[in-house]
Amino acid sequence: MTGTLNELGEHVAHALPGAVRAQSVALGELTLTVDRARIVEAMTFLRDDPRCRFKLVMDVCGADYPERAQRFEVVYHLLSLEHNRRLRVKVATDEATPVPSVVGVFNAANWFEREAWDLYGILFADHPDLRRILTDYGFEGHPLRKDFPLTGYVEVRYDDEKKRVVYEPVRLTQDFRSFDFLSPWEGMTRQVLPGDEKAAAPAAPPGPAKPGGAA
C-alpha cells in the first residue's frame, strides 16, 4: 500500500512540475503539500486524471501554527470512489494572503471555505460568497485561532425589554478561587462547620428549682 501511494504522489508531482512541495504517507493515506498559487490547477488534475479520480471533497479545514511565518494550513480531504482511496492536500498561507478558492472545481468546498474563513480568518480569493457561516455577522475575531481568548470579547443574551439579542462585554460572574484539594473533613480546623452558625442555638434547659421561698 505504501509503495502504491508513493507512486501516486510521484505521478502527481511529475504531472505538475513545481506544484508539489512535499509528500508523505502515514496511516495508509497520502499527504501532498502543494504550492498555494497552484492549488486550483492541482485540484483539477486530482479530480480528472485517470489514476486519481478524486471526485469528492469530503472536508476543507484550517490549522493554526502561530509560531510560523505562514501560520495557517488549509487542509483538503479528497475521496476517490473509483479507486477506493483517500488523499490529503495541504497549502500554507498567512493572515493577509488569500488562498485561491476551489469552489469552481468542487462545489462542495463553498461552505467549507466559509467555515475556514469564519473560524480562522483564512481568506479565499474568488470565492462566490465569503461570509461568516457559524458565528454571527457582528462577531469579533476568529474563535479557532490559538491567540483568541477563551472567554471571547463579547457575550450575547436576549433582552426581554428591548425584545432583541444584545451584545455586552464579557463579565466573569465570580473571581477565580484557589482550591487545596482536601476533603471537607481533612481541611476543617474549626469546630463549627460553615453554615452551622446560621442555625439558632437551642434554648438552655431549665435548671433545678431552688428550695424554699423568698426571704
Side-chain angles (χ1 to χ4, degrees):
M1 175 64 74
T2 300
T4 302
L5 293 176
N6 282 325
E7 291 174 3
L8 177 62
E10 293 170 1
H11 169 69
V12 176
H14 179 75
L16 302 171
V20 178
R21 299 288 183 85
Q23 71 178 67
S24 62
V25 176
L27 302 177
E29 290 189 12
L30 173 65
T31 299
L32 299 178
T33 301
V34 175
D35 179 36
R36 178 182 60 245
R38 301 182 64 183
I39 184 61
V40 174
E41 177 188 0
M43 298 294 265
T44 302
F45 176 84
L46 292 170
R47 181 194 63 185
D48 299 338
D49 181 74
R51 291 185 59 179
C52 299
R53 295 291 194 225
F54 292 98
K55 297 287 188 179
L56 300 178
V57 57
M58 307 305 295
D59 186 32
V60 180
C61 61
D64 186 16
Y65 302 91
E67 69 280 1
R68 299 180 184 177
Q70 293 186 321
R71 65 181 291 181
F72 298 120
E73 279 186 352
V74 182
V75 186
Y76 307 82
H77 294 95
L78 307 180
L79 173 64
S80 171
L81 294 176
E82 181 175 333
H83 299 294
N84 189 25
R85 184 178 294 158
R86 294 181 182 272
L87 174 68
R88 182 182 296 108
V89 179
K90 294 181 179 182
V91 299
T93 189
D94 54 32
E95 299 180 48
T97 306
V99 176
S101 172
V102 299
V103 173
V105 183
F106 297 104
N107 288 332
N110 188 328
W111 283 14
F112 291 140
E113 291 182 350
R114 284 180 58 186
E115 182 179 1
W117 151 247
D118 189 4
L119 300 183
Y120 289 95
I122 300 172
L123 295 168
F124 291 91
D126 301 320
H127 189 283
D129 187 23
L130 192 62
R131 55 192 171 95
R132 293 189 182 272
I133 189 171
L134 294 177
T135 63
D136 188 73
Y137 296 141
F139 190 87
E140 296 182 21
H142 304 280
L144 286 191
R145 288 189 178 187
K146 296 291 180 62
D147 52 8
F148 189 83
L150 295 178
T151 58
Y153 297 105
V154 296
E155 57 186 3
V156 182
R157 68 175 179 87
Y158 180 79
D159 191 297
D160 194 54
E161 294 182 357
K162 298 180 180 180
K163 303 298 181 184
R164 64 180 178 86
V165 172
V166 296
Y167 291 84
E168 296 174 337
V170 171
R171 294 175 296 179
L172 299 179
T173 56
Q174 71 179 58
D175 294 332
F176 291 105
R177 296 179 295 173
S178 60
F179 298 89
D180 56 13
F181 300 103
L182 294 175
S183 74
W185 314 115
E186 294 172 330
M188 179 53 61
T189 58
R190 297 181 297 175
Q191 295 298 322
V192 180
L193 293 177
D196 285 356
E197 70 278 1
K198 300 176 184 177
K210 295 182 179 180

